[in-house]
Amino acid sequence: AQSVTQLDSQVPVFEEAPVELRCNYSSSVSVYLFWYVQYPNQGLQLLLKYLSGSTLVKGINGFEAEFNKSQTSFHLRKPSVHISDTAEYFCATEPNNAGNMLTFGGGTRLMVKP
Amino acid sequence: DSGVTQTPKHLITATGQRVTLRCSPRSGDLSVYWYQQSLDQGLQFLIHYYNGEERAKGNILERFSAQQFPDLHSELNLSSLELGDSALYFCASSVDRVDTQYFGPGTRLTVL
């Protein structure tokens, strides 16, 4: 069984400030890791994914995430946020031995203020 | 635009009714996944079809069923609807069982 915990339900931040959205997971098997973004009234869009290899993963819109196996974390970071980054962000896992279902965290609402 | 289409965009119905949600995957994608997003349960995986065959089931109620047709589009059937079934229903597709999933815009179901 897998579970994903996003430790912050809301993160307010000022424009051009750095941000980190935290994600921890637990799983009995090795997993792939994903971050998705959901803008208001839209579907989910893939930001980045970790399958294997380098633990630092770069995604779209200037986001990056670091896989830490010992801490079972996959935190999302951006050095300077824009107003347009205001959205809901979801961390997700997928077992790498089956490739079937994504297990999502509860989501973090990033609110960028001017 | 992910290339995944879902119809209808909005659906309002009454308790006890039955509805069908439709999903057309991206061209060439063989896998279709259904997810439910609600305020109390968050985003939950419902079911996965690959090339017409059911591959995995998640937290899908017995009142719900799905199928994938030979042209690879999929339908999610929800019956005996309850107030608690009100949610956003997302469809996602991928090339195969291990590829990145691309999400459609969702169908918002409101049960009154």
Side-chain angles (χ1 to χ4, degrees):
Chain A
Q2 303 165 67
S3 68
V4 180
T5 303
Q6 291 183 243
L7 297 162
D8 306 297
S9 59
Q10 294 187 57
V11 172
V13 63
F14 286 105
E15 194 174 18
E16 297 184 6
V19 70
E20 178 179 84
L21 306 184
R22 297 180 293 169
C23 172
N24 287 88
Y25 68 94
S26 68
S27 176
S28 55
V29 299
S30 295
V31 295
Y32 300 135
L33 295 154
F34 304 82
W35 275 99
Y36 281 86
V37 60
Q38 184 179 28
Y39 298 103
N41 300 313
Q42 293 188 31
L44 283 79
Q45 180 183 1
L46 180 68
L47 272 179
L48 48 80
K49 61 184 178 183
Y50 172 79
L51 303 181
S52 64
S54 172
T55 57
L56 184 63
V57 181
K58 293 192 183 298
I60 62 171
N61 301 341
F63 284 93
E64 63 180 33
E66 185 152 22
F67 169 56
N68 188 317
K69 188 174 182 179
S70 62
Q71 297 187 6
T72 60
S73 68
F74 190 55
H75 300 334
L76 181 70
R77 301 185 184 100
K78 186 168 183 178
S80 175
V81 294
H82 302 130
I83 295 287
S84 59
D85 293 322
T86 295
E88 188 95 18
Y89 292 78
F90 291 94
C91 180
T93 63
E94 180 180 288
N96 67 6
N97 62 351
N100 285 332
M101 59 180 121
L102 291 168
T103 298
F104 286 92
T108 297
R109 184 171 299 277
L110 176 64
M111 298 175 294
V112 182
K113 300 180 286 186
Chain B
D1 185 355
S2 66
V4 179
T5 60
Q6 291 186 248
T7 56
K9 193 169 184 177
H10 300 278
L11 197 49
I12 301 174
T13 188
T15 54
Q17 294 299 303
R18 182 179 190 274
V19 296
T20 297
L21 313 183
R22 182 187 170 99
C23 167
S24 293
R26 297 185 318 157
S27 177
D29 284 0
L30 299 178
S31 269
V32 169
Y33 308 78
W34 286 97
Y35 293 86
Q36 180 195 59
Q37 184 178 33
S38 62
L39 283 175
D40 52 344
Q41 300 286 337
L43 260 167
Q44 290 196 96
F45 166 76
L46 295 178
I47 198 164
H48 169 214
Y49 275 84
Y50 176 77
N51 203 20
E53 292 185 11
E54 182 186 301
R55 285 305 174 115
K57 266 187 175 179
N59 296 322
I60 187 166
L61 300 170
E62 285 191 13
R63 301 183 285 108
F64 295 2
S65 65
Q67 57 184 131
Q68 187 179 25
F69 295 87
D71 66 352
L72 301 176
H73 90 273
S74 178
E75 291 180 356
L76 179 67
N77 300 296
L78 316 176
S79 61
S80 303
L81 285 167
E82 302 174 359
L83 295 177
D85 298 327
S86 295
L88 256 175
Y89 291 84
F90 287 108
C91 166
S93 74
S94 65
V95 173
D96 58 27
R97 292 175 292 154
V98 297
D99 194 32
T100 299
Q101 295 180 33
Y102 294 88
F103 283 74
T107 292
R108 183 172 293 280
L109 174 66
T110 303
V111 182
L112 300 175

